[in-house]
Amino acid sequence: MLAIESLAKRYSKKEDYVLKDINLEVKQGEFVVILGTSGAGKSTLIRCINRLIEPNSGQLYWYEKNIRKLKKNDLRRYRRDVGMIFQEYNLIERLSVLTNVLVGRFGYLNYLKILLQNYSEGEIKLAQEALARVGLAGYETAKVRDLSGGQRQRVGIARALTQEPRLILGDEPVSSLDPVTAEKIMSLLTEINQKQKITMLISIHNVELAKSFANRIIGIKHGKIVYNDSPDNLNKKMLERIYS
Amino acid sequence: MDLENKKVKTVLIISLIAIVHLWSLRGVGFDLRRLLKIGNTIEFIATRWFPPDWSILNKVLGEAIITLQIAIVGTSFSLLVALPLSFLAAKNTTPWEGIYSLVRGFLSFLRSVPEIVFALVLIPALGLGPFAGALALIFHNIGVLGKLISEKIEAADKGSQEAILSVGASNLSVITFGILPQIMPDILSETFYRFEVNIRASLILGLIGAGGIGQLLFIHFRIFAYQKVLVDTLIILIMVIGIDYISSLIRTKVI
């Protein structure tokens, strides 16, 4: 579904490339985990995929369509297909849980409807189902700022589900959570991956967590892919290659 | 050696501060002997201002309400204009660099022209009265609020903006839901503070004929009606203290 060809990115001409010659394919239904040290280029890679960051060179294909060339409305339409969850959840703190989840519909609606918060019954139902899916049924009117970290990430996942994506990107979605909560969130993502057939591409810090949940692991070091295989083959030597 | 250097530096700084103050005191003609004559002011107030002439209370209250209205219009309309302008004057939301510089320049021009200058320029065209005063406040405060709000926009947390962009939302939606909810409390707090400042500013504008209780005070002063001046002054005191209190209560408790 997604193909990345010789992707490269540097933030300024004075700095080194953060990503150098990344080649990667993601197939529908996969649960891919990206491993790597801080600064290896994980966040940049993930943000290049939905073009929150513009790469300098290389190509990106989404179902054979070149997405580097997409302009305004086409880019927005593509982004609807690609959900994203974040390390710091990136919710609107002062607003309610339901309002935050309905943000997932912003790619489908015109501005006036968004401004007036004029959603159809179907859309509200979709948001409520997403909340139920992540275990937060009944939390619609709660304020985000009153929630715990784990609950916040669940709202983040519900927001992504509400946009009805085919792929969910995750930029270290469990790195700010305690180990038990992190595992629960990973299980939830696995469930969504298996039952709703939504592909996952997620970066993670914790090697054990990556091994127990991923179908495939990508190791990144200094902006290059140094490992791209099943978690079973990720032995000590390979780990050293990623983390040394 | 280092310690020696530090001592020399301290002595230099202290002498510099002293020189600046001596220079300023000379400029204002500061004279302790003349300060002793302040007793005359007390005698002047005690003998000429009392008893207060309460017969004009209704008129004074009416003018006080006009002052309040000048400040309300001067504050709310400047916010209304400043808010959209400030998005053009913020690096992260401006459509292009040219507009950014243009609006920034325009805002700092409005900010650097004092209200009283705007009023002096407007009165010949609009005539004496509260309308010119309110307009003068609006012009100056667009500049002040525009700068403050555009700085808040630039400092807003990027997280939720990024998330809203990632679902396929338009830039306008990112502004409305990713930035505005974050900066709204700051905007309201600043606006209420400007309201307090505008009450005091509109008193001064009254002196040059821009209406309200300030103008009444100045007229009474010029016709030596000091017993009426006392009533004006008391009402001004009560109004300013009352509004400062209510406004700061709203700013700290509600927002």
Side-chain angles (χ1 to χ4, degrees), chain B residues 13-29:
Chain B
I13 290 171
I14 290 175
S15 356
L16 192 71
I17 293 172
I19 288 168
V20 167
H21 278 83
L22 285 172
W23 172 70
S24 304
L25 285 172
R26 236 188 99 178
V28 301

Side-chain angles (χ1 to χ4, degrees), chain B:
Chain B
M1 188 63 195
D2 236 20
L3 206 70
E4 218 31 45
N5 258 338
K6 225 176 173 179
K7 266 189 194 163
V8 173
K9 225 173 158 182
T10 314
V11 172
L12 270 174
I13 290 171
I14 290 175
S15 356
L16 192 71
I17 293 172
I19 288 168
V20 167
H21 278 83
L22 285 172
W23 172 70
S24 304
L25 285 172
R26 236 188 99 178
V28 301
F30 196 82
D31 186 346
L32 275 178
R33 282 163 302 177
R34 275 166 64 195
L35 194 62
L36 291 174
K37 294 184 185 160
I38 205 155
N40 293 346
T41 303
I42 296 167
E43 195 196 326
F44 165 61
I45 292 176
T47 56
R48 308 279 303 274
W49 289 38
F50 283 91
D53 179 2
W54 292 111
S55 67
I56 55 154
L57 183 63
N58 273 340
K59 184 170 172 49
V60 176
L61 287 177
E63 291 298 319
I65 286 172
I66 288 179
T67 296
L68 190 70
Q69 289 165 331
I70 294 174
I72 289 172
V73 171
T75 311
S76 58
F77 276 75
S78 56
L79 175 65
L80 229 56
V81 179
L83 190 61
L85 284 184
S86 54
F87 281 97
L88 301 177
K91 268 223 159 75
N92 51 332
T93 53
T94 192
W96 45 279
E97 200 80 8
I99 289 203
Y100 165 81
S101 310
L102 203 76
V103 178
R104 277 246 138 163
F106 177 60
L107 289 177
S108 61
F109 163 74
L110 290 179
R111 199 169 55 248
S112 51
V113 178
E115 300 97 329
I116 197 155
V117 175
F118 275 125
L120 283 169
V121 175
L122 289 168
I123 283 174
L126 303 174
L128 291 170
F131 184 51
L135 218 52
L137 287 184
I138 290 173
F139 284 147
H140 179 71
N141 280 284
I142 288 172
V144 175
L145 285 174
K147 178 188 195 285
L148 282 166
I149 298 172
S150 64
E151 279 167 2
K152 299 286 173 203
I153 293 168
E154 286 174 354
D157 177 54
K158 302 280 177 290
S160 55
Q161 300 176 44
E162 190 180 37
I164 295 170
L165 203 60
S166 80
V167 307
S170 66
N171 290 330
L172 212 52
S173 303
V174 174
I175 285 174
T176 317
F177 285 84
I179 298 178
L180 268 183
Q182 270 190 66
I183 63 172
M184 217 51 205
D186 283 334
I187 292 179
L188 289 178
S189 173
E190 291 293 350
T191 304
F192 271 99
Y193 176 65
R194 289 315 299 175
F195 177 60
E196 292 171 37
V197 173
N198 283 341
I199 287 276
R200 288 189 281 266
S202 69
L203 291 172
I204 304 296
L205 293 183
L207 300 190
I208 58 161
I213 194 172
Q215 185 167 352
L216 198 62
L217 175 82
F218 193 56
I219 291 168
H220 288 154
F221 230 107
R222 275 205 301 204
I223 59 170
F224 311 112
Y226 297 120
Q227 292 169 337
K228 295 186 169 97
V229 167
L230 179 58
V231 176
D232 298 335
T233 311
L234 287 174
I235 298 300
I236 288 174
L237 273 178
I238 293 168
M239 180 170 78
V240 169
I241 292 170
I243 282 171
D244 280 8
Y245 177 74
I246 293 168
S247 166
S248 74
L249 205 69
I250 292 174
R251 283 195 288 137
T252 52
K253 293 274 163 66
V254 182
I255 299 169

Side-chain angles (χ1 to χ4, degrees), chain A residues 118-129:
Chain A
N118 180 13
Y119 301 103
S120 68
E121 263 175 58
E123 278 168 330
I124 291 183
K125 206 172 148 225
L126 202 66
Q128 284 175 326
E129 279 168 6

Side-chain angles (χ1 to χ4, degrees), chain A residues 47 50 52 76 79-80 82 84 86 89-92 94-95 99 103-104 106-107 111 114-115 117 159 163, chain B residues 157-174 176-178 181-182 184-185 255:
Chain A
R47 281 172 175 74
N50 60 1
L52 286 179
R76 288 183 51 193
R79 280 181 179 156
R80 300 198 303 220
V82 182
M84 185 162 181
F86 304 83
Y89 328 120
N90 291 3
L91 305 170
I92 309 164
R94 301 172 58 85
L95 301 183
T99 312
V103 167
F106 279 13
Y111 179 68
I114 292 170
L115 184 68
Q117 294 281 286
R159 172 175 65 193
Q163 71 187 83
Chain B
D157 177 54
K158 302 280 177 290
S160 55
Q161 300 176 44
E162 190 180 37
I164 295 170
L165 203 60
S166 80
V167 307
S170 66
N171 290 330
L172 212 52
S173 303
V174 174
T176 317
F177 285 84
Q182 270 190 66
M184 217 51 205
I255 299 169

Side-chain angles (χ1 to χ4, degrees), chain A residues 9-18 56:
Chain A
K9 171 69 188 176
R10 64 175 165 182
Y11 287 98
S12 78
K13 287 197 169 149
K14 285 173 212 146
E15 283 168 70
D16 255 357
Y17 278 93
V18 185
N56 294 98

